[in-house]
Amino acid sequence: MSSIINKGWKLTKLVLPQHTDHARVMWHGSYINFLEEARIDALNKVGMSYSELSEKGFEIPVVSLNIKYKMSFNHGDKALLISQFKMDNKIRLNCKTFFVKVNGDIAAEALVGLVVVRKKNDSIKLIRELPDQIKNILLLLEEGPKIEMIE
């Protein structure tokens, strides 16, 4: 596994029966659930839960998603997700995630585009100038873990 791919937020998932299709192969929709869990886990690791973010009136919705499938995962396999965040401009956050097999092969790559919005009453507005607290959290995500975490 490339050292550049090894840097990022890590989450290990076990492919369970509910993640697979009738052929015991991981269903394409399960990748999206795993991606969401990896992003929420990374956010928790930098000190803010998604529910705290929501309580402050902010959400980080997905605005684009691209997954390249290279190899399949099967029921019982472990999948290591390595996620790297990058602020694309002042309003877009990109999250690149590698799905890595136990042997180090990259089974899939995903690129998720996100934006920060503020929810107020019944309206949702794109945030063009992030409050310092939110900007600092996103910068911590981009920086990655200080110490490589052992999963």
Side-chain angles (χ1 to χ4, degrees):
M1 181 168 37
S2 162
S3 63
I4 194 128
I5 294 170
N6 203 26
K7 293 183 180 169
W9 299 100
K10 296 179 181 176
L11 177 69
T12 301
K13 296 289 297 171
L14 180 64
V15 178
L16 300 173
Q18 66 262 30
H19 302 135
T20 63
D21 61 17
H22 65 280
R24 298 174 36 114
V25 173
M26 188 162 144
W27 176 63
H28 65 277
S30 294
Y31 287 80
I32 296 168
N33 290 330
F34 282 19
L35 288 167
E36 181 83 10
E37 190 173 340
R39 289 192 312 275
I40 299 304
D41 184 65
L43 194 59
N44 283 330
K45 287 174 180 169
V46 297
M48 182 170 290
S49 71
Y50 199 90
S51 59
E52 285 177 88
L53 190 71
S54 291
E55 287 168 8
K56 295 178 184 302
F58 298 97
E59 300 287 338
I60 307 176
V62 172
V63 294
S64 66
L65 171 65
N66 183 5
I67 303 175
K68 294 179 184 173
Y69 303 97
K70 299 176 178 191
M71 296 175 208
S72 64
F73 285 99
N74 296 304
H75 172 241
D77 287 349
K78 283 188 180 176
L80 172 63
L81 282 73
I82 302 173
S83 299
Q84 302 165 342
F85 293 84
K86 179 89 171 123
M87 293 295 294
D88 190 7
N89 52 36
K90 288 185 178 182
I91 62 170
R92 190 174 178 110
L93 176 67
N94 289 317
C95 178
K96 182 161 192 164
T97 300
F98 300 93
F99 289 77
V100 183
K101 293 180 99 37
V102 172
N103 67 3
D105 288 343
I106 298 172
E109 293 179 34
L111 183 60
V112 180
L114 307 139
V115 293
V116 179
V117 298
R118 181 181 283 279
K119 287 180 71 175
K120 203 174 207 179
N121 301 325
D122 288 335
S123 70
I124 298 174
K125 289 193 172 198
L126 179 67
I127 302 296
R128 296 188 183 280
E129 190 62 41
L130 295 171
D132 285 341
Q133 183 184 20
I134 304 301
K135 185 189 297 184
N136 292 338
I137 289 293
L138 298 182
L139 289 172
L140 287 172
L141 283 174
E142 184 176 46
E143 192 175 296
K146 296 272 189 242
I147 300 170
E148 281 301 311
M149 301 185 307
I150 299 172
E151 299 266 342

